Amino acid sequence: MGRVTDLAAFSSLLTDEGRGLLADLRHYDPAQELAVASRLRRDHPAELVSAALGQARLRQRAVAKFGADDAYRMFFTPNGVEQSTRASVARHRAASFARLGVRRVADLCCGIGGDAVALARAGIAVLAVDRDPLTAAVARANVEALGIADLVEVRCADVTEVDTSAYDAVFVDPARRGGRGRIFDPEAYSPPLSWAVDAARRAPHAALKVAPGIPHEVVPPEAEAEWISDGGDVKEAVLWFGTAPGSVRATLLPSGAALATSAPLPAPPVRGVGRYLYEPDGAVIRAHLVAEVAARLDGGLVDETIAYVTADELRPTPYAAAYEITDELPFNLKRLKALLREREVGTLTVKKRGSAVEPEEVRRRVKPKGPHAATVFLTRVAGAPTMLVGRPAAAPAERG
């Protein structure tokens, strides 16, 4: 009954009155919601006002993923905002499909249509399928609102019953959240990863969106595994079929830099801390490509279990952030506090890897004060708890 009610409320937003309300609410302040609701209910049904306010809040949240131009034209559900693909990532995937020559994609578990939108904008015809009537209705409204309904057919159906034989590729985005939150077991996805893999094997090309924490050992041998970060944050992993079997790739957005291999290097050697410390991008770490980055930097690891690379030279790389290390200390917050006081450090960035100490606890204990800035790494060096103090390294001048 609840979903029927939700669908009726959503449908009211598609009327001229509902669209007018949403346009008026574009810049409303949620902190003033009670006053706004009281004013609007003088001229509009209470149910419509409630639905419009809820949608206005979702649109404001969606700006971070979709950008203001699209977010304020689109429609959302709470799960749709939370689980939909970030627009930059969806565009990257759509471009990958286009480079493969794909012209027709079956988008299974399409949600509110974020990936379908990106695919259509890349000139690809899409069958977008979701079994939830409300979600399918939102996806249909979105492709219409964005002017791409001629390229996207939205169907409310069980994806396991859809015939995809007429399509060049399938894209499957299984639900990875349940009643108790995030799901970590790929076989507990809805539909399970094994079903998605079978569907992928039947298509010329396929992409399966999975959680970035997926264990490498469950990746099918015929798949290429891609980990994607955007602005330094790891967003997702994708299993590609019909591309480069057995290879792994880290893709960094927005630059598009990609590091890939089908024959991973052995673990780098552990060595003493050099002048520079490199923090690999999260996608590089998830893809198990830290050794490839270390080789490019002629560097080694500070500890065999820690993904920090150290080197004596500063070399430009898109795959890691570089820091110049000024001090290496055994873990001791009193010594750190004294050092920061001596250096007049008031802006302190705390990073950690392999340490149980929380950054906020460090800042509270050392009480940084002064005009200068520093970065401290709480980590292990050759097994010993260590503090590395430094600052972001300036990019080396280009050689003429």
Side-chain angles (χ1 to χ4, degrees):
M1 238 347 248
R3 299 305 274 174
V4 173
T5 303
D6 290 346
L7 184 55
F10 172 70
S11 298
S12 70
L13 296 176
L14 304 181
T15 64
D16 289 343
E17 184 179 12
R19 292 178 186 275
L21 266 178
L22 287 173
D24 291 342
L25 288 170
R26 174 165 179 157
H27 300 294
Y28 104 104
D29 180 359
Q32 303 299 319
E33 182 166 318
L34 184 58
V36 172
S38 298
R39 174 176 57 81
L40 293 177
R41 283 171 181 156
R42 298 182 195 130
D43 302 308
H44 305 281
E47 295 82 0
L48 177 59
V49 171
S50 178
L53 286 168
Q55 191 62 221
R57 290 193 300 272
L58 292 175
R59 285 180 165 183
Q60 290 181 352
R61 286 172 54 195
V63 168
K65 279 191 174 183
F66 291 90
D69 288 346
D70 280 353
Y72 285 109
R73 289 190 288 165
M74 294 174 69
F75 298 88
F76 302 94
T77 64
N79 284 341
V81 172
E82 180 70 26
Q83 299 180 27
S84 58
T85 303
R86 181 178 290 265
S88 56
V89 179
R91 287 192 298 269
H92 162 72
R93 180 165 34 248
S96 297
F97 271 123
R99 284 193 296 270
L100 292 170
V102 170
R103 306 309 304 159
R104 288 166 56 83
V105 172
D107 178 1
L108 308 180
C109 310
C110 69
I112 55 97
D115 278 283
V117 168
L119 289 164
R121 285 175 168 171
I124 298 171
V126 184
L127 169 65
V129 183
D130 202 283
R131 69 179 180 181
D132 179 65
L134 174 60
T135 303
V138 172
R140 189 173 295 109
N142 284 336
V143 299
E144 291 173 356
L146 297 178
I148 51 175
D150 58 327
L151 279 171
V152 183
E153 175 195 348
V154 179
R155 186 183 303 175
C156 184
D158 186 331
V159 297
T160 64
E161 299 174 359
V162 174
D163 180 7
T164 62
S165 60
Y167 294 86
D168 304 329
V170 297
F171 170 60
V172 188
D173 182 5
R176 293 179 300 282
R177 286 185 179 272
R180 296 184 178 180
R182 190 169 296 169
I183 296 171
F184 296 97
D185 177 8
E187 282 308 295
Y189 292 174
S190 180
L193 179 61
S194 57
W195 179 89
V197 169
D198 286 342
R201 287 169 172 158
R202 294 192 296 270
H205 295 286
L208 313 181
K209 178 178 172 180
V210 294
I214 185 171
H216 281 232
E217 58 267 23
V218 307
V219 175
E222 69 269 41
E224 174 189 11
E226 178 186 28
W227 279 263
I228 304 170
S229 67
D230 189 12
D233 295 328
V234 182
K235 294 302 179 184
E236 62 182 59
V238 184
L239 306 184
W240 289 93
F241 291 75
T243 54
S247 66
V248 293
R249 180 171 18 137
T251 300
L252 283 57
L253 301 178
S255 70
L259 182 63
T261 184
S262 58
L265 295 174
V270 175
R271 51 152 290 177
V273 177
R275 183 176 178 183
Y276 297 99
L277 186 77
Y278 292 85
E279 182 182 27
D281 184 271
V284 170
I285 296 172
R286 293 284 194 177
H288 296 180
L289 293 174
V290 173
E292 281 67 19
V293 172
R296 290 172 177 234
L297 300 171
D298 193 21
L301 300 180
V302 298
D303 183 274
E304 63 180 359
T305 64
I306 304 295
Y308 283 140
V309 175
T310 186
D312 298 315
E313 294 182 12
L314 180 59
R315 298 183 182 179
T317 175
Y319 305 114
Y323 296 83
E324 184 175 11
I325 299 303
T326 57
D327 299 272
E328 178 182 352
L329 307 170
F331 182 83
N332 185 307
L333 292 183
K334 288 185 178 179
R335 288 187 61 181
L336 177 63
K337 182 176 182 178
L339 176 68
L340 297 177
R341 184 186 299 117
E342 177 186 332
R343 304 273 173 84
E344 297 183 299
V345 171
T347 302
L348 181 66
T349 300
V350 182
K351 293 176 171 286
K352 69 168 204 165
R353 189 163 289 159
S355 173
V357 181
E358 293 300 326
E360 286 305 319
E361 173 67 9
V362 173
R363 278 188 283 267
R364 186 184 67 82
R365 295 271 298 275
V366 303
K367 299 180 175 62
K369 184 177 180 180
H372 302 136
T375 300
V376 60
F377 295 86
L378 309 179
T379 188
R380 292 194 300 272
V381 172
T386 303
M387 302 180 298
L388 302 176
V389 182
R391 52 182 173 263
E398 293 189 11
R399 297 172 183 173

